[in-house]
Amino acid sequence: MSRRYSSSQSTLSRLYGIGGADLALRYHELSEDTRANSTPDRTPRRAIYINGARISDEDVGTMERVWNTALRDGRYWYDRANGACGVEGGPCTGFIPPGLPLGGPLMANASGGGTGVFVNGRELHPQDVFALTRVLPVWPGRYWMDAVGNFGWEGGPPVGNLVAAMQMPKTASERPIQCA
């Protein structure tokens, strides 16, 4: 069944005919947002900062659509080399794709620091160091780590892989005692 539309029929009424009121309302809301976004003196609606730089409302909207999640306003850090991210002053809370052109440069004190353990220039939060010590020994120093878990001393070759270390079975002394 084909429908013909006259040239005088509005886009809104055509969308109503195709998808009902929901589709027409969504189009109307999106077109209003587009008009609102086109005014040059419009104040930002979102306040999301990554590595000290404000992210544009347009970029925030794109990230929310691509990742299918709502982002909270706030201040965050992001390590482009491995995708680690978290709230400014806090530990790593997750990973997003590495290499995204988000925010400014990663600051040494992005996680609050105080540990003497640096990864990709960021001094790790005490919780990050504690989590790492559950997998391997951690010494103060400067390290690099890539997106697949390879790590080494800053400027040096890889010395291990964190992902592989996490998958290794525990030694007998680390296993819980089982009673018969």
Side-chain angles (χ1 to χ4, degrees):
M1 172 176 178
S2 82
R3 292 186 172 145
R4 294 187 180 242
Y5 297 102
S6 68
S7 60
S8 64
Q9 191 175 21
S10 75
T11 303
L12 214 59
S13 59
R14 283 188 295 209
L15 289 172
Y16 186 86
I18 295 170
D22 287 342
L23 183 60
L25 181 61
R26 182 174 276 173
Y27 172 81
H28 179 68
E29 289 170 349
L30 287 172
S31 63
E32 279 192 8
D33 282 350
T34 303
R35 283 193 296 272
N37 287 334
S38 65
T39 58
D41 56 21
R42 187 173 88 58
T43 57
R45 293 190 291 173
R46 303 298 303 273
I48 294 180
Y49 293 82
I50 298 177
N51 297 343
R54 187 183 164 282
I55 305 303
S56 73
D57 290 344
E58 181 181 330
D59 288 344
V60 170
T62 300
M63 288 186 291
E64 289 179 328
R65 281 190 302 278
V66 169
W67 296 333
N68 196 28
T69 190
L71 300 175
R72 289 185 177 191
D73 287 357
R75 302 185 71 84
Y76 303 93
W77 60 264
Y78 167 64
D79 184 340
R80 285 185 190 95
N82 59 29
C85 58
V87 175
E88 208 171 82
C92 177
T93 56
F95 289 84
I96 60 175
L100 299 175
L102 296 175
L106 181 62
M107 303 298 290
N109 65 348
S111 293
T115 61
V117 180
F118 291 80
V119 174
N120 298 336
R122 173 180 67 94
E123 187 172 12
L124 298 187
H125 187 276
Q127 289 179 8
D128 291 334
V129 173
F130 176 74
L132 286 172
T133 60
R134 298 189 57 122
V135 179
L136 46 86
V138 179
W139 297 281
R142 301 187 71 83
Y143 305 89
W144 61 266
M145 188 174 93
D146 65 19
V148 294
N150 297 317
F151 66 90
W153 292 96
E154 204 171 79
V159 295
N161 184 285
L162 186 59
V163 175
M166 291 171 55
Q167 294 172 347
M168 291 179 63
K170 293 184 177 185
T171 64
S173 64
E174 296 173 314
R175 290 189 196 121
I177 299 172
Q178 296 184 4
C179 298

